[in-house]
Amino acid sequence: MVRVFSYKNLNETIWLVSFFLAFILGNAALNLFIFFSTFYVLFNYKKITFPKNTSIYLIFLFLLYIFFLGFFYDDINLKNFSQIRFFFLVYFFYFLRKNNSQFDMILVLVANIFLIVISLDIIIQKNFLFDLFGFELIKDVPTGPFENEVAGSFLSKIFFCSSAYIFFKNGKLNFNRLFVILLAFIAIILTTERMAFFHASVVLLSLVFFELYLFANYKKKILFFMISILIFSNLIIFSEKFRVDFIGKTINQLGFYNLSYKIIENTNIVKNFNSSINYKKDYISKKYVAASTYSYVKWGFENKQNANPHKKLFNSGLKIFKENLYIGTGVKTFFNECEKLRNSNLKNRSFQCSTHPHNIHIQILSEAGLIAYILFILIIISTLYSSFKNFFQGKEIYKLSYFLALILLILPLPSGNMFGTWPGAFFWFILGLNIYDREFIKNNT
C-alpha cells in the first residue's frame, strides 16, 4: 500500500492537494497553481526529456496555434494568449507521473479524501442550511464551499480519479468503499447537476462490468450485479429529487413532454410548488396541470412551443462558425458575437446567447475555427489510441477509468467552457492522465 504522507511521496501529495484546493478557491488560485507548477518544471530542467508521445506535441501545437490566433482578430484578443498556460499544466503532471511510479496511487488516495469531505459537506449543507465552512444554503441547491453551482461537476471529475479503486480490494467487495460510492452519488444528486451524475454513472457502471468480466467466481458476479441494480433502483424509485431533476427534466428536454409530466406529476416537489410568475395558459397541459406548470416555470419553457435552450445555443454557435469558418471569432467572444447575431435576426427564435455555447466541439469551431478543430480532433484520436493500447497491455483499471473519463468529456453533449480556467484546467488534466509514452511505461513496470 502506498504511504501517501511518506517523505518520498510528499512532493506529489502537496501538489495534488494544492491542485484540488485551487478548484475550490477559484480561478485566481488555479492560475497561481499553473504559474508555480510551470516554474517547478523549469527549476527541474535537468530531468526534462523529450516525450515519446505524439499527443504532447499535438497539444503544444494546438494551444500555440490558439495563442497566435489572438493576433489575427480586428481587436487583438488577449484571451487567446492565455490558453498556452494549459500546455504547461499538462506537461507538469506528465513530468510528475514520469518521475514517480506511485503517482497514480497517490492521486487516488488524495482524490478519495476530497470526494468524501466535499460529499459530506454538501449533505450537511442540504440538511442543516450551513456547511462545514459556514457557507449558507442558497436556492435550496447545496454548493458546498464553492461560490457557484459547480460542486456536482467537481465531484464527478474527482470520481474519475478515484472510482477505479473504490469498489474492490484484493478482488473482494469492500462495503466501506461501497459507502463512499453511495455518499458521492447522494451528494451529486443533491446538487441537481445531471451531467455530473451521467459522467459518474457511466464510469462506475463500466468499471463494474469490467470487474465482473475478470471474476471467475459466478456467485460473486451475481451478488455484485444485484447490489449494483439495487443501488440504482433505490435512486430511481425512492428519490423524488432524482425523478424530477434528473429523469423528468432529461425526458422533457428530449421532447417527450407528456411522459415527463407523468413521471413528476404526483411528486411532493411538484405538488408543493407555488409560482409567483405569470404564465401563458396555452403552455399548460390540462391532464398534467401541476407538472406542466412546474416544467414551464422551472425548466426554461421546454415544451412544444419552445425549443430546448441548449439547442438554441448550439444553433447560435454553428451559425457563428459558418460566418467565421477558418479562424473563428476569438476565445470567449461567443456572447458578444451571439448578441450581434440575435439582434440581426429578431424574428428568428432559434438563437440563444450565453457566455459559451455549452458544447466543447461547437465552442472550438465558433471561437477558434476549423483548423483548430482539426488539430483538436487529432489530439483526441492520438491520446485515445495510445491510452486504449496501454490499457490492454497491462489491463490496469485506473487506466480504464482515465480513458472513460476522456471519452465522456469529449462527447457532443452540454459541457462547460472549454477555454475557461476552471473547466479547462480539469479537461486538460484528465486528458494529460491518458498520456503515456514508452519511457513512462518502462518506469512503471
Side-chain angles (χ1 to χ4, degrees):
M1 182 178 177
V2 179
R3 294 179 60 189
V4 174
F5 299 107
S6 68
Y7 176 77
K8 180 182 178 182
N9 298 318
L10 188 60
N11 180 56
E12 287 75 15
T13 303
I14 291 173
W15 279 113
L16 285 169
V17 169
S18 300
F19 183 56
F20 291 142
L21 276 177
F23 282 99
I24 298 173
L25 296 175
N27 290 342
L30 272 171
N31 285 321
L32 275 175
F33 177 90
I34 295 173
F35 176 79
F36 286 118
S37 63
T38 301
F39 270 93
Y40 175 81
V41 173
L42 294 175
F43 287 143
N44 288 274
Y45 68 94
K46 291 183 179 179
K47 294 182 180 180
I48 295 176
T49 56
F50 288 103
K52 298 180 177 65
N53 187 289
T54 308
S55 298
I56 288 282
Y57 299 101
L58 286 172
I59 291 169
F60 178 70
L61 183 61
F62 170 76
L63 293 172
L64 189 65
Y65 176 74
I66 297 292
F67 175 88
F68 281 113
L69 276 182
F71 292 106
F72 290 93
Y73 303 114
D74 293 335
D75 296 320
I76 293 177
N77 192 348
L78 297 176
K79 292 177 181 177
N80 276 65
F81 306 157
S82 67
Q83 297 304 302
I84 196 69
R85 72 194 191 279
F86 291 129
F87 172 76
F88 297 107
L89 180 69
V90 171
Y91 189 84
F92 169 71
F93 282 112
Y94 169 85
F95 179 82
L96 288 184
R97 293 180 78 202
K98 185 172 70 70
N99 289 287
N100 190 334
S101 61
Q102 294 182 321
F103 177 88
D104 290 291
M105 295 302 296
I106 301 167
L107 171 61
V108 166
L109 295 176
V110 171
N112 276 341
I113 291 171
F114 275 86
L115 184 70
I116 293 169
V117 171
I118 300 299
S119 295
L120 283 172
D121 189 58
I122 287 169
I123 293 170
I124 289 170
Q125 188 182 51
K126 177 64 177 179
N127 288 281
F128 298 99
L129 307 182
F130 286 90
D131 76 340
L132 296 170
F133 308 98
F135 294 103
E136 295 182 28
L137 179 68
I138 301 175
K139 295 180 181 179
D140 200 41
V141 177
T143 59
F146 298 90
E147 292 182 0
N148 47 34
E149 297 176 7
V150 295
S153 178
F154 179 81
L155 286 175
S156 68
K157 291 175 176 62
I158 292 291
F159 198 77
F160 291 157
C161 303
S162 63
S163 57
Y165 296 91
I166 283 178
F167 256 106
F168 293 97
K169 186 176 182 181
N170 301 324
K172 296 180 180 180
L173 185 63
N174 186 298
F175 286 96
N176 292 330
R177 297 185 181 195
L178 193 60
F179 170 76
V180 174
I181 293 171
L182 286 172
L183 192 70
F185 272 83
I186 289 170
I188 289 173
I189 289 172
L190 290 176
T191 66
T192 70
E193 292 186 49
R194 290 175 298 152
M195 288 307 299
F197 180 81
F198 172 71
H199 287 165
S201 298
V202 171
V203 170
L204 183 62
L205 290 173
S206 300
L207 295 174
V208 167
F209 284 113
F210 176 74
E211 289 283 5
L212 289 176
Y213 171 77
L214 292 181
F215 273 155
N217 189 320
Y218 284 97
K219 288 183 179 179
K220 287 183 179 179
K221 286 185 177 183
I222 294 171
L223 173 63
F224 192 72
F225 181 75
M226 292 302 296
I227 290 174
S228 302
I229 294 296
L230 285 172
I231 291 172
F232 281 91
S233 297
N234 179 65
L235 290 175
I236 294 170
I237 296 171
F238 297 106
S239 173
E240 281 196 350
K241 194 168 188 64
F242 184 83
R243 285 167 61 192
V244 174
D245 292 329
F246 289 79
I247 299 176
K249 186 174 183 179
T250 301
I251 291 174
N252 186 281
Q253 287 186 327
L254 291 172
F256 300 101
Y257 308 107
N258 286 329
L259 179 58
S260 70
Y261 301 155
K262 184 177 181 180
I263 290 172
I264 70 173
E265 176 74 11
N266 294 316
T267 60
N268 290 323
I269 293 174
V270 170
K271 287 179 179 178
N272 297 329
F273 176 73
N274 293 313
S275 174
S276 59
I277 300 173
N278 293 324
Y279 51 84
K280 295 181 180 180
K281 300 298 182 182
D282 295 341
Y283 291 151
I284 306 306
S285 168
K286 293 180 180 179
K287 185 176 181 180
Y288 303 106
V289 176
S292 57
T293 302
Y294 183 90
S295 170
Y296 181 93
V297 175
K298 295 284 286 184
W299 297 342
F301 318 124
E302 292 150 13
N303 46 52
K304 291 180 180 179
Q305 288 80 9
N306 291 279
N308 183 326
H310 282 122
K311 291 179 183 178
K312 293 183 179 182
L313 284 170
F314 298 167
N315 288 338
S316 303
L318 291 173
K319 180 66 175 175
I320 292 170
F321 162 62
K322 290 175 183 178
E323 294 179 358
N324 303 272
L325 198 62
Y326 296 108
I327 64 171
T329 60
V331 167
K332 298 184 180 180
T333 59
F334 178 77
F335 180 79
N336 291 334
E337 295 298 323
C338 183
E339 283 293 302
K340 294 177 187 177
L341 176 67
R342 189 163 62 175
N343 291 335
S344 62
N345 295 270
L346 292 175
K347 293 182 180 180
N348 191 336
R349 300 180 64 190
S350 64
F351 299 124
Q352 183 162 322
C353 300
S354 181
T355 54
H356 59 96
H358 289 75
N359 181 289
I360 188 172
H361 300 275
I362 295 175
Q363 183 173 15
I364 294 173
L365 285 168
S366 63
E367 296 187 3
L370 185 61
I371 297 172
Y373 184 69
I374 292 171
L375 288 172
F376 177 74
I377 293 300
L378 289 175
I379 292 170
I380 297 302
I381 292 172
S382 172
T383 305
L384 288 178
Y385 172 76
S386 63
S387 181
F388 193 65
K389 182 179 178 181
N390 288 324
F391 166 67
F392 270 99
Q393 284 182 350
K395 292 186 177 180
E396 295 161 300
I397 195 168
Y398 72 87
K399 292 183 180 180
L400 177 61
S401 184
Y402 300 161
F403 178 79
L404 291 168
L406 181 57
I407 289 178
L408 288 170
L409 291 179
I410 55 98
L411 287 177
L413 297 171
S415 62
N417 187 348
M418 166 71 178
F419 296 126
T421 301
W422 203 95
F426 249 135
F427 173 82
W428 291 109
F429 172 66
I430 295 296
L431 188 143
L433 293 178
N434 283 275
I435 295 176
Y436 308 87
D437 58 28
R438 292 188 297 276
E439 183 180 354
F440 177 83
I441 295 170
K442 184 178 178 180
N443 291 339
N444 287 272
T445 54

